[in-house]
Amino acid sequence: MQKFPEGSEAADIVANLDQVRERIAAACARVGRCASEVRFLLVTKTIAPDQIRIAVEAGAELIGENKVQELVAKAEALRDLTCERHFIGHLQSNKIKQVLQHVSCIQSIDSLGLAEKLDRQLQKHGRGVDIFLQVNTSGEATKFGIAPGEALGLARQVARLGTLRVRGMMTIGMFNADGQITRRCFAQLRALRDLITAEGLAGVQLDHLSMGMSLDFEDAIAEGSTLIRVGRFVFGPRPSMIHHYWNETDSGA
Ligand SMILES: *Cc1c(COP(=O)(O)O)cnc(C)c1O
């Protein structure tokens, strides 16, 4: 691995990545889990390709974007990187074609309509894709995701769509809440995973619980997360956090 000058932005990124790994291992150890059970997705939204490259070359194996526009804009500059790519943001149906060119998994499926459109597009190309069902466990109106009470119904319907391999569930914990409340969001996602798994639906194999971000990934690990999504912890604060969390305007602006 390349050595960067101490105190440089690049050296910070590499050091922060190491720190995330250490904290994952410590969080796992505290609850008797094996660190290899938890994957780490590096959230690269708002981050320039040069920085992303540094992180990937320092060992980040899985990266994610939450806007199709941004995913596409960076794709060319990062084309040679062999890391896995997921989409983690609200997906508008007119961007399905584009997103499919760049990712192996879409973590944010939250309606039957979207799933059906995705399925139709995939059929045309004779291929499939991994998806996660996104659940709005915090109940905050600003967040996307299916309501918890509708998740099982959605799983049953999506299971019938032949091109979609349902591989996990995703949620965003409640912000600015005390740890107990955030943990309840994560526990709820785990319970829903168990409920859906018990149905034994063909084509549904929920290996992943995608939950936990920079400020709450240790709580998420305690509640069974198998995939944490971390951005700020590695890259530092983003210029306009709220906008990028909620995907408020996915107009392409
Ligand atoms: C931005 C984002 C994250 C990462 O948030 P950080 O606070 O930067 O770790 C995780 N998941 C989704 C869906 C996001 O949009």
Side-chain angles (χ1 to χ4, degrees):
M1 201 201 303
Q2 225 173 313
K3 258 316 220 175
F4 297 104
E6 207 175 314
S8 66
E9 198 182 3
D12 284 349
I13 291 172
V14 176
N16 293 343
L17 278 173
D18 283 342
Q19 224 200 316
V20 175
R21 290 193 196 98
E22 278 167 27
R23 285 178 59 168
I24 292 172
C28 285
R30 280 197 292 276
V31 294
R33 298 184 64 196
C34 176
S36 64
E37 289 170 30
V38 181
R39 288 195 83 187
F40 159 43
L41 178 150
L42 182 63
V43 178
T44 55
K45 64 188 183 196
T46 76
I47 305 301
D50 286 349
Q51 268 78 43
I52 300 173
R53 177 175 295 279
I54 289 164
V56 171
E57 289 176 352
E61 294 167 351
L62 170 61
I63 62 175
E65 288 281 347
N66 75 332
K67 286 172 184 283
V68 176
Q69 193 88 3
E70 208 179 319
L71 175 75
V72 172
K74 295 177 198 172
E76 183 61 34
L78 300 173
R79 215 223 299 252
D80 58 307
L81 298 181
T82 54
C83 60
E84 195 178 329
R85 292 155 166 92
H86 288 188
F87 187 71
I88 59 171
H90 178 61
L91 180 57
Q92 292 184 313
S93 43
N94 62 355
K95 305 236 169 82
I96 285 174
K97 229 185 196 159
Q98 282 179 296
V99 84
L100 284 173
Q101 290 171 1
H102 300 286
V103 304
S104 61
C105 177
I106 299 170
Q107 294 199 6
S108 46
I109 299 302
D110 61 359
S111 76
L112 182 62
L114 177 62
E116 285 175 340
K117 285 181 188 131
L118 187 58
D119 180 59
R120 272 199 293 277
Q121 190 63 38
L122 287 159
Q123 279 182 33
K124 275 190 218 160
H125 298 276
R127 54 167 284 211
V129 77
D130 289 350
I131 63 155
F132 294 177
L133 302 177
Q134 181 178 355
V135 180
N136 183 354
T137 54
S138 71
E140 290 164 282
T142 41
K143 283 184 195 148
F144 292 99
I146 186 112
E150 294 168 23
L152 177 57
L154 180 63
R156 285 182 182 137
Q157 289 169 311
V158 171
R160 298 196 196 108
L161 304 173
T163 63
L164 304 186
R165 301 179 293 260
V166 189
R167 286 291 173 265
M169 318 264 299
M170 187 266 257
T171 199
I172 299 174
M174 188 177 286
F175 292 133
N176 305 320
D178 74 64
Q180 285 308 108
I181 295 174
T182 311
R183 276 185 75 145
R184 242 177 276 152
C185 296
F186 298 146
Q188 185 174 35
L189 192 71
R190 189 187 60 219
L192 284 171
R193 191 263 325 262
D194 294 344
L195 180 77
I196 294 169
T197 297
E199 291 270 303
L201 299 165
V204 176
Q205 192 188 324
L206 300 176
D207 293 329
H208 282 293
L209 276 182
S210 173
M211 55 193 200
M213 311 195 297
S214 289
L215 299 178
D216 55 24
F217 70 87
E218 286 147 318
D219 281 338
I221 288 171
E223 292 294 345
S225 174
T226 69
L227 195 160
I228 62 166
R229 309 178 307 270
V230 169
R232 282 183 290 163
F233 191 101
V234 173
F235 292 118
R238 284 179 294 272
S240 59
M241 181 182 112
I242 297 297
H243 169 82
H244 283 282
Y245 264 126
W246 314 118
N247 306 285
E248 263 161 0
T249 55
D250 198 30
S251 58

